């Protein structure tokens, strides 16, 4: 009897991406970088640019069209990864032929999201290449390996999380909680164990806060006094908020005790919720030196509870949130509602009335200010105004090529650094200035790109409204904050008559006597 043989009959593989007329495939790179900011983020992106530029040079039929990234986010969910969502959108808009990423875990640690995304791109003839695993998503036989490995990486992430929890649980049971630097303390090692050591200058501030609060002063007044005294906040800022004072007043670590597991991590959703019995909590006494005595601490808690607002609604985001800037002090305005009145106030003025001379504005007033600016820019008396309004939105939506600008900036930086490495004397000093200038431009560009991407939802809403409208008059009637934000990225306010607008194309326009008042 002949020996049986089994042959796997793989389905016929799809053809790969179609090359451009110049014979090149448009390749995009995706990476998740660490939770970093400023110079560190720029350095990480610079390294990615250098790596992928060299990678592309090894493939004659590749053309790098952009680097997409997310910073400081988990791979367990897509929702909080704007760079990833932007990459997928550009793929579906036929701007990209091939996506390269270093590994499956960098692309996604959620098995379901990974497989659905890869399959979606495959349907549009777009390849995803996972370098570490040497997997090409267009090759049918790789689907099994991709499915298996994605499940492994997801399980690995869950196991790491569970192991960390178990380790922390065991430490808590032994009365050895994890210590991290915080205001009033720094972490030190004594006899092989980590614990807190009091930072005297900060401890004096903490004691002052408790003392003055027990004397009947409000947290707002205490914050103002600390600000006027020139004392820095726990995060190093010049301006104290009442919330910073409240956080110090509620911190039981100042008793010399540790309360652990106050919050529970939902790994798959990348968020935390208050621990209400889902996991064990541990109250470990006398783990480190106390700054506040028990009697004072408990009196403070009683006062805070008596003043606590029950059923306080969660913070809500509005179209103008973080986009109205006080021209006097530079703080963003915040929204407040009293009965049916919606108003916007300077954040600094709201915390410390004497530190800023700005006035609050009704939301209806802000809408009229933005309408005035829009009318001046687009000249509503001109028959072509409606067409221009629509064209500007479409132009930005169709040409928001941040990735090309990012590559250009990073290539300029790499080139300048190469010159700097071999320069001497005066030339070296000039090149140092050039490098610093390019680095500043990169950080400013990343901030602008982030704002433009965030505002896309408003541009799409405005375009939908314009399509439904028959005349310019219909459009003008529909101009509320959520529509006006499509054209106006930011507004810097002195008064309701004097302000500066930052437009969607990053140009600025001063209204009224903004310049003369600002410079007087």
């Amino acid at each position: 009897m002949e020996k049986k043989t089994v042959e796997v009959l793989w389905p016929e593989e799809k053809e790969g991406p179609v090359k451009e007329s110049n014979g090149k495939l448009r390749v995009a790179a995706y990476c998740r970088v660490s939770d970093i900011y400023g110079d560190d983020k720029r350095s990480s992106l610079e390294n990615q640019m250098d790596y992928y530029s060299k990678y592309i040079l090894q493939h004659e039929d590749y053309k790098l069209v952009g680097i997409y990234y997310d910073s400081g986010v988990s791979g367990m969910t897509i929702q909080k990864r704007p760079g990833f969502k932007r990459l997928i959108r550009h793929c579906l808009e036929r701007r990209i032929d091939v996506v390269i990423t270093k590994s499956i875990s960098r692309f996604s640690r959620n098995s379901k999201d990974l497989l659905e995304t890869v399959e979606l791109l495959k349907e549009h003839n777009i390849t995803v290449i996972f370098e570490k695993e040497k997997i090409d998503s267009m090759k049918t036989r790789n689907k099994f390996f991709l499915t298996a490995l994605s499940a492994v990486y997801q399980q690995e992430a869950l196991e790491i999380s569970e192991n960390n929890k178990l380790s922390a649980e065991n430490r808590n049971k032994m009365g050895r909680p994890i210590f991290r630097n915080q205001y009033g303390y720094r972490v030190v090692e004594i006899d092989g164990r980590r614990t807190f050591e009091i930072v005297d200058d900060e401890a004096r501030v903490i004691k002052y806060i408790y003392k003055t609060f027990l004397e009947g002063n409000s947290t707002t007044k205490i914050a103002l006094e600390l600000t006027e005294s020139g004392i820095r906040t726990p995060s190093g800022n010049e301006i104290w908020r009442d919330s910073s004072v409240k956080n110090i007043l509620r911190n039981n670590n100042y008793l010399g005790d540790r309360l652990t597991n106050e919050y529970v991590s939902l790994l798959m959703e990348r968020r935390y919720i208050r621990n209400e019995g889902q996991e064990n909590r541990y109250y470990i006494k006398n783990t480190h030196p106390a700054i506040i005595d028990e009697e004072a601490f408990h009196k403070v808690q009683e006062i805070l509870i008596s003043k606590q607002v029950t059923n306080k609604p969660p913070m809500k985001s509005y179209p103008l949130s973080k986009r109205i800037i006080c021209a006097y002090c530079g703080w963003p305005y915040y929204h407040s509602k009293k009965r049916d009145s919606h108003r916007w106030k300077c954040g600094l003025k709201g915390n410390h009335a004497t530190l800023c001379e700005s006035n609050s504005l009704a939301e209806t007033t802000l809408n009229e200010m933005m309408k005035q600016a829009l009318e001046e820019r687009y000249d509503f008396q001109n028959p072509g105004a409606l067409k221009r309004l629509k064209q500007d939105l479409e132009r930005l939506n169709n040409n928001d090529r941040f990735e090309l600008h990012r590559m250009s900036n990073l290539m300029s930086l790499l080139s300048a650094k190469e010159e700097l490495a071999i320069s001497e004397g005066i030339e070296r000093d000039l090149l140092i200035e050039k490098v610093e200038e390019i680095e500043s431009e990169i950080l400013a560009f990343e901030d602008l790109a982030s704002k433009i991407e965030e505002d896309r939802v408003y541009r799409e809403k405005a375009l939908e409204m314009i399509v439904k409208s028959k005349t310019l008059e219909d459009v003008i009637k529909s101009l509320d904050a959520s529509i006006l934000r499509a054209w106006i990225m930011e507004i810097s306010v002195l008064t309701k008559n004097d302000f500066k607008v930052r437009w969607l194309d990053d140009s600025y326009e001063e209204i009224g006597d903004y310049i003369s008042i600002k410079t007087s």
Side-chain angles (χ1 to χ4, degrees):
M1 185 176 180
E2 291 186 13
K3 185 178 179 180
K4 289 184 179 179
T5 61
V6 177
E7 179 184 358
V8 179
L9 299 176
W10 297 101
E12 187 175 331
E13 293 182 356
K14 286 189 175 184
E15 293 184 9
V18 179
K19 295 181 180 180
E20 289 187 300
S21 57
N22 61 7
K24 300 277 189 179
L25 288 171
R26 297 165 298 176
V27 180
Y30 174 76
C31 56
R32 278 192 298 115
V33 297
S34 305
D35 194 0
I36 50 179
Y37 302 92
D39 291 343
D40 290 332
K41 176 183 282 189
R42 187 260 313 144
S43 178
S44 179
L45 291 173
E46 181 186 338
N47 292 336
Q48 296 284 349
M49 181 71 225
D50 187 39
Y51 173 82
Y52 283 112
S53 297
K54 291 174 181 175
Y55 180 93
I56 295 302
L57 287 174
Q58 298 170 12
H59 299 77
E60 292 184 359
D61 58 341
Y62 281 4
K63 179 178 78 172
L64 184 61
V65 295
I67 294 176
Y68 296 73
Y69 77 95
D70 287 301
S71 173
V73 293
S74 167
M76 295 300 289
T77 176
I78 290 176
Q79 295 309 312
K80 296 183 180 179
R81 295 163 67 189
F84 187 83
K85 291 195 287 186
R86 181 177 169 80
L87 168 71
I88 302 307
R89 175 163 59 80
H90 284 179
C91 285
L92 301 183
E93 290 173 356
R94 302 290 184 183
R95 300 190 192 186
I96 297 166
D97 302 311
V98 178
V99 176
I100 298 175
T101 188
K102 282 196 172 181
S103 71
I104 291 172
S105 62
R106 292 289 89 190
F107 200 69
S108 178
R109 280 186 177 270
N110 184 307
S111 180
K112 180 175 179 291
D113 286 347
L114 172 71
L115 297 175
E116 286 180 353
T117 301
V118 168
E119 197 60 33
L120 174 65
L121 297 182
K122 191 174 179 180
E123 288 173 4
H124 288 77
N125 216 30
I126 297 166
T127 298
V128 183
I129 295 175
F130 302 93
E131 290 185 80
K132 179 182 174 182
E133 296 83 5
K134 295 181 171 57
I135 288 178
D136 180 335
S137 65
M138 291 300 287
K139 294 181 178 177
T140 307
R141 65 189 66 196
N142 280 337
K143 185 174 182 179
F144 167 76
F145 299 111
L146 189 60
T147 304
L149 287 171
S150 65
V152 168
Y153 285 129
Q154 177 174 317
Q155 187 60 32
E156 181 184 76
L158 293 171
E159 286 179 0
I160 289 171
S161 176
E162 288 303 314
N163 288 339
N164 288 339
K165 284 183 182 179
L166 183 60
S167 174
E169 180 94 357
N170 290 334
R171 289 177 63 93
N172 291 334
K173 286 179 180 178
M174 293 187 292
R176 297 176 59 186
I178 296 171
F179 290 91
R180 295 185 178 88
N181 287 332
Q182 63 175 278
Y183 194 71
Y185 293 108
R186 65 167 165 262
V187 177
V188 294
E189 195 165 302
I190 300 175
D191 298 330
R193 291 191 177 187
R194 290 164 67 85
T195 186
F196 279 144
E197 179 181 79
I198 293 175
V199 179
D200 291 334
D201 290 346
E202 295 174 359
R204 278 193 287 272
V205 175
I206 293 166
K207 289 176 180 178
Y208 170 79
I209 289 172
Y210 275 79
K211 176 177 175 292
T212 50
F213 184 74
L214 288 172
E215 289 172 352
N217 292 289
S218 68
T219 53
T220 301
K221 184 178 180 182
I222 295 170
L224 177 59
E225 290 174 353
L226 292 170
T227 299
E228 291 177 338
S229 299
I231 296 170
R232 294 275 179 169
T233 69
S235 55
N237 297 322
E238 295 179 357
I239 308 297
W240 282 77
R241 297 173 183 260
D242 70 326
S243 58
S244 302
V245 175
K246 286 177 181 175
N247 287 338
I248 287 174
L249 291 172
R250 291 192 177 110
N251 191 341
N252 61 279
N253 285 333
Y254 298 136
L255 281 171
D257 305 334
R258 290 297 308 278
L259 174 63
T260 68
N261 295 357
E262 290 186 76
Y263 293 88
V264 178
S265 168
L266 300 179
L267 184 64
M268 296 297 287
E269 299 178 33
R270 189 61 175 176
R271 65 188 180 94
Y272 289 86
I273 59 172
R274 185 171 289 279
N275 186 357
E276 296 179 343
Q278 298 93 327
E279 294 181 6
N280 293 330
R281 293 201 299 173
Y282 296 87
Y283 192 87
I284 309 169
K285 294 185 69 67
N286 303 319
T287 57
H288 55 276
I291 294 175
I292 302 298
D293 64 74
E294 283 195 35
E295 183 181 358
F297 182 83
H298 291 307
K299 280 183 180 178
V300 164
Q301 304 318 302
E302 289 173 7
I303 296 170
L304 288 173
I305 290 171
S306 69
K307 294 182 177 183
Q308 189 171 318
V309 178
T310 57
N311 299 322
K312 187 177 180 179
M315 290 290 288
K316 186 178 178 181
S317 180
Y318 297 87
L320 297 175
S321 295
K322 299 180 182 178
R323 298 304 180 90
I324 309 173
I325 308 300
C326 176
Y328 289 103
C329 67
W331 275 52
Y333 274 55
Y334 68 93
H335 175 270
S336 67
K337 181 182 178 183
K338 194 171 184 180
R339 297 186 181 89
D340 294 327
S341 174
H342 293 261
R343 299 192 71 81
W344 289 83
K345 302 177 181 179
C346 165
L348 179 58
K349 181 71 175 278
N351 280 279
H352 310 300
T354 60
L355 297 184
C356 182
E357 56 184 291
S358 63
N359 294 313
S360 66
L361 292 168
E363 187 160 282
T364 52
T365 301
L366 277 166
N367 284 347
E368 290 304 316
M369 291 162 62
M370 290 190 289
K371 283 182 185 179
Q372 177 191 346
L374 199 70
E375 183 172 3
E376 289 190 21
R377 177 181 170 96
Y378 290 96
D379 184 10
F380 287 172
Q381 302 304 314
N382 189 317
L386 183 58
K387 184 178 180 181
R388 283 188 60 213
L389 284 165
K390 185 169 180 279
Q391 283 179 338
D392 278 0
L393 299 180
E394 290 175 333
R395 187 180 297 113
L396 186 54
N397 275 0
N398 295 331
N399 296 288
D400 57 344
R401 302 184 183 279
F402 305 149
E403 289 68 34
L404 291 176
H405 290 291
R406 180 178 294 134
M407 286 198 305
S408 175
N409 289 339
L410 292 172
M411 289 299 288
S412 297
L413 182 60
L414 287 169
S415 176
K417 285 193 170 183
E418 287 174 1
E419 291 181 50
L420 179 61
I422 58 173
S423 63
E424 296 178 353
I426 296 176
E427 183 187 5
R428 180 174 178 80
D429 293 337
L430 292 172
L431 281 169
I432 288 173
E433 289 182 12
K434 182 179 179 181
V435 166
E436 290 175 349
E437 183 181 335
I438 295 173
E439 288 176 346
S440 297
E441 288 174 358
I442 288 174
L443 295 177
F445 165 76
E446 292 299 331
D447 178 65
L448 172 63
S450 176
K451 282 184 168 67
I452 291 175
E453 184 66 13
E454 286 174 15
D455 292 352
R456 188 179 187 88
V457 62
Y458 300 113
R459 295 194 297 274
E460 290 177 345
K461 182 177 180 180
L463 282 169
E464 185 180 335
M465 180 271 295
I466 289 173
V467 169
K468 291 179 180 178
S469 301
K470 295 180 180 179
T471 64
L472 178 61
E473 287 69 29
D474 292 338
V475 170
I476 294 171
K477 289 176 184 176
S478 302
L479 290 177
D480 60 13
S482 65
I483 299 295
L484 289 160
R485 277 280 283 103
W487 294 275
I488 296 175
M489 188 185 302
E490 204 170 79
I491 179 168
S492 181
V493 179
L494 283 170
T495 72
K496 65 179 182 180
N497 299 315
D498 312 292
F499 53 95
K500 180 170 71 173
V501 171
R502 185 183 187 185
W503 296 104
L504 73 168
D505 60 1
D506 200 32
S507 63
Y508 291 84
E509 183 177 353
E510 291 82 15
I511 306 294
D513 294 326
Y514 180 89
I515 295 178
S516 59
I517 296 174
K518 187 72 175 168
T519 55
S520 62

